[in-house]
């Protein structure tokens, strides 16, 4: 006989997970995947105690995996994209000219703005980080800029664009979960996202100006990088076609996955005809990533390449996404069991007891999203579960659904890349080469947004009433 979990049964799996991750991952540096599995085992014992069968739990896990499968396929395709853009010379060319043109004083600010623009147009924060983000980090490395600050700005910019892009999966998911309209949701997010972006840009500008009088370039290293890249690759304006195809597909609102694949194929063709790589090299780069040993040009010696260039060009490939996918599946196991057993529902119902004012409701929503993000490391779950739970409450309080959808994004979507054990955190850290906890303080927009959401909740500024509900009453 199935029953509803009590508070201890609902909260204890989360406490166990946070304890395991804090001690195992945070203190001893253990891999997070087994820790998540152990947390799932404990959650499973609680579910059995509540009367749920193994088949029930498996169904919950399957539902979560099914929900995230499109994102996982895009993740794999981005690995292919980075590998082919590298072997085509697209990313190296952006790095090469960026090293020559960008003023190091403004590299952190530029990193934020460029990542935001690309993410708005493409609708994918991961794609923005995996392509232009890699190039920007290469430029920052050559300029000897503040790498954690640059990485944080890239992540913040990418998620700024992700929040406001109508092509973004989470931007579409939030209004669905909350019951609002897509473009109303995007417009309403301006109340929190624009101020957060302004604060971010001011900080990035101050960081740049504070080092303006210092020697931020390493002439020998930078010259060596430029010379090596110029020897390895041939520059051609056609190398801009793969990113142009991505932009075209975004503007035309074509499905993301096919556009990424077509761009990868085009990049592979350019790699063969412009750079002179073989079909075997292109396939190898798509699967395992680019390697300097693939270069076979006169005057180039792979063994003489400096470490800075190796770190720069050894990128991409489907296999580079393996760790991200493993963490995602491990987290889905825990999230699926917790959702199926009703534990998450009990937790949010408990939190609702403390709601008296609009600000309390916004704060409770924020805390629920943060909890979901910390526990599952998944932006979809951080949006869907609190959205489903709070939807009726916002309606009861005569608050427009777009208030909920905005808060879901402010405290769900953008927080996940700051969590070291989340798939987004692992991806950003692995792609940019900077640990999550090192770039997190610099990803200003990712945590200032929900602070503005709470402030608006208590002041009433930017809070929309549910006019339909008011008329009904």
């Amino acid at each position: 006989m199935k029953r509803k979990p009590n508070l201890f049964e609902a909260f204890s799996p989360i406490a166990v997970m946070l304890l395991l991750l804090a001690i195992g991952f945070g203190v001893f540096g253990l891999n997070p995947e087994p820790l998540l599995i152990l947390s799932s085992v404990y959650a499973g014992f609680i579910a059995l105690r509540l009367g749920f069968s193994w088949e029930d739990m498996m169904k919950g896990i399957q539902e979560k995996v099914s929900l995230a499968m499109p994102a996982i396929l895009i993740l794999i395709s981005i690995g292919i994209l980075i590998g082919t853009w590298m072997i085509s010379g697209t990313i190296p060319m952006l790095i090469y000219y960026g090293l020559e043109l960008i003023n190091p004083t403004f590299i952190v600010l530029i990193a934020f703005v460029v990542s935001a623009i690309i993410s708005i147009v493409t609708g994918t924060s991961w794609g923005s980080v995996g392509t232009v983000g890699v190039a920007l980090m290469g430029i920052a490395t050559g300029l000897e800029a503040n790498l954690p600050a640059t990485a944080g700005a890239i992540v913040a910019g990418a998620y700024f664009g992700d929040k406001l892009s109508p092509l973004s999966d989470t931007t579409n998911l939030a209004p669905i979960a909350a019951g609002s309209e897509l473009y109303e949701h995007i417009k309403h997010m301006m109340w929190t996202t624009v101020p957060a972006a302004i604060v971010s840009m001011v900080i990035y500008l101050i960081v740049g100006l504070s080092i303006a009088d210092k020697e931020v370039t390493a002439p020998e290293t930078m010259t060596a990088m430029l010379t090596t890249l110029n020897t390895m690759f041939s520059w051609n304006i056609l190398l801009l076609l793969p990113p142009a195809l991505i932009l075209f597909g975004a503007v035309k609102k074509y499905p993301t996955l096919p556009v990424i694949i077509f761009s990868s194929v085009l990049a592979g063709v350019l790699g063969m005809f412009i750079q002179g790589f073989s079909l075997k090299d292109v396939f190898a780069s798509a699967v395992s990533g680019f390697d300097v040993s693939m270069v076979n040009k006169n005057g180039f010696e792979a063994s003489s390449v400096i470490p800075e260039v190796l770190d720069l060009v050894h990128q991409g490939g489907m296999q580079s996404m393996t760790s991200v996918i493993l963490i995602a599946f491990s987290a889905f196991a825990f999230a699926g069991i917790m959702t199926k057993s009703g534990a998450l529902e009990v937790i949010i119902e408990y939190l609702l007891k403390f709601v008296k004012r609009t600000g309390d409701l916004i704060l409770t929503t924020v805390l629920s999203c943060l909890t979901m993000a910390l526990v599952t490391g998944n932006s979809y779950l951080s949006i869907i579960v609190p959205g489903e739970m709070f939807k009726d409450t916002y309606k009861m309080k005569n608050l427009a659904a777009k208030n909920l959808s905005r808060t879901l994004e402010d405290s769900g979507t953008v927080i996940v890349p700051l969590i070291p054990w989340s798939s987004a955190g692992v991806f950003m850290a692995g792609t940019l080469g900077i640990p999550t906890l090192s770039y997190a303080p610099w990803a200003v927009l990712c945590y200032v947004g929900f602070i503005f959401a709470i402030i608006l909740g208590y002041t009433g500024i930017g809070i929309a009433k549910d006019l339909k509900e008011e008329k009904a009453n």
Side-chain angles (χ1 to χ4, degrees):
M1 185 70 178
K2 297 176 184 177
R3 64 177 177 84
K4 191 175 183 179
N6 57 40
L7 278 179
F8 174 79
E9 292 166 333
F11 276 100
S12 62
I14 293 179
V16 168
M17 169 182 268
L18 293 177
L19 189 64
L20 286 173
L21 289 171
I23 297 175
F25 181 78
V27 177
F28 294 104
L30 301 177
N31 290 337
E33 295 92 341
L35 299 174
L36 291 168
I37 296 300
L38 288 175
S39 303
S40 302
V41 171
Y42 179 81
F45 279 124
I46 295 295
L48 288 173
R49 177 186 173 91
L50 297 172
F52 290 86
S53 66
W54 169 243
E55 287 74 19
D56 292 328
M57 288 182 269
M58 276 301 299
K59 186 176 180 180
I61 296 171
Q62 289 169 358
E63 289 172 354
K64 293 295 177 286
V65 172
S66 176
L67 181 68
M69 188 54 67
I72 291 174
L73 292 176
I74 289 175
L75 177 63
I76 295 171
S77 70
I78 287 175
I80 299 173
L81 186 75
I82 296 173
T84 54
W85 279 28
M86 193 63 70
I87 201 167
S88 69
T90 297
I91 292 177
M93 186 173 76
L94 294 174
I95 294 171
Y96 180 85
Y97 286 106
L99 283 171
E100 291 194 323
L101 298 175
I102 290 180
N103 187 324
T105 301
F106 303 108
I107 179 61
V108 179
L109 178 60
I110 289 172
F112 175 82
V113 173
V114 171
S115 299
I117 292 172
I118 297 300
S119 193
I120 287 175
V121 176
T122 62
T124 166
S125 55
W126 288 28
S128 177
V129 171
T131 51
V132 71
V134 174
L136 287 165
M137 285 302 294
I139 295 167
T141 301
L143 297 173
E144 286 202 340
N146 185 326
L147 296 185
T150 305
I154 291 169
V155 172
Y159 275 84
F160 170 87
D162 195 322
K163 284 179 68 178
L164 298 180
S165 174
L167 304 179
S168 166
D169 48 8
T170 54
T171 305
N172 281 273
L173 187 61
I176 291 173
S180 61
E181 297 293 332
L182 173 61
Y183 288 100
E184 281 294 312
H185 163 66
I186 293 174
K187 183 179 178 180
H188 202 54
M189 278 198 294
M190 297 294 182
W191 283 97
T192 54
T193 306
V194 171
I198 292 172
V199 171
S200 300
M201 289 190 287
V202 169
I203 291 175
Y204 299 146
L205 182 60
I206 292 173
V207 170
L209 293 176
S210 68
I211 61 173
D213 297 329
K214 299 179 182 178
E215 184 62 37
V216 295
T217 61
E220 292 183 6
T221 302
M222 188 168 152
T223 301
M225 290 180 69
L226 290 171
T227 302
T228 304
L229 289 174
N230 201 34
T231 304
M232 290 173 61
F233 298 96
S234 300
W235 309 133
N236 192 305
I237 194 171
L238 293 177
L239 299 183
L240 295 177
L241 286 177
L245 180 57
I246 293 288
L247 296 177
F248 177 77
V251 171
K252 289 292 186 178
K253 300 184 179 181
Y254 293 145
T256 303
L257 187 59
V259 172
I260 290 176
I261 296 300
F262 281 127
S263 178
S264 301
V265 171
L266 176 58
V269 171
L270 293 173
M272 289 188 291
F273 286 95
I274 293 180
Q275 307 300 345
F277 291 106
S278 66
L279 181 62
K280 184 178 180 181
D281 290 332
V282 172
F283 273 66
S285 187
V287 174
S288 56
F290 180 77
D291 193 282
V292 294
S293 62
M294 298 175 179
V295 181
N296 184 23
K297 290 190 174 182
N298 294 330
F300 177 78
E301 191 65 44
S303 59
S304 64
V305 178
I306 60 176
E308 288 81 359
V309 174
L310 292 177
D311 292 339
L312 186 65
V313 299
H314 285 176
Q315 301 279 350
M318 298 168 67
Q319 293 177 0
S320 67
M321 301 300 169
T322 303
S323 61
V324 182
I325 295 171
L326 286 177
I327 285 182
F329 279 117
S330 300
F332 291 147
F334 180 81
I337 295 172
M338 287 287 286
T339 303
K340 201 67 179 177
S341 67
L344 290 177
E345 184 178 350
V346 169
I347 292 171
I348 294 178
E349 285 177 353
Y350 174 77
L351 292 174
L352 284 176
K353 294 179 181 179
F354 301 96
V355 173
K356 305 296 182 184
R357 298 170 292 173
T358 298
D360 297 334
L361 182 56
I362 298 292
L363 176 60
T364 303
T365 307
V366 168
L367 293 176
S368 300
C369 291
L370 294 180
T371 300
M372 284 298 304
L374 287 169
V375 172
T376 67
N378 184 275
S379 58
Y380 298 109
L381 299 178
S382 303
I383 289 173
I384 294 172
V385 177
E388 290 293 330
M389 294 303 299
F390 288 110
K391 185 189 300 183
D392 292 338
T393 305
Y394 275 73
K395 191 173 182 179
M396 288 168 47
K397 299 284 186 180
N398 289 337
L399 295 173
K402 60 186 177 182
N403 296 299
L404 173 57
S405 60
R406 179 181 72 188
T407 308
L408 294 177
E409 288 242 66
D410 285 334
S411 51
T413 301
V414 296
I415 290 298
V416 174
L418 307 186
I419 301 171
W421 55 85
S422 71
S423 55
V426 174
F427 175 82
M428 301 300 162
T431 302
L432 300 176
I434 302 294
T436 308
L437 294 180
S438 295
Y439 72 66
W442 297 101
V444 180
L445 177 133
C446 294
Y447 53 84
V448 171
F450 75 78
I451 294 175
F452 275 110
I454 295 171
I455 292 172
L456 295 183
Y458 281 106
T459 61
I461 300 172
I463 300 297
K465 294 293 184 179
D466 188 346
L467 299 179
K468 294 179 181 178
E469 191 69 18
E470 285 187 344
K471 289 179 180 179
N473 293 332

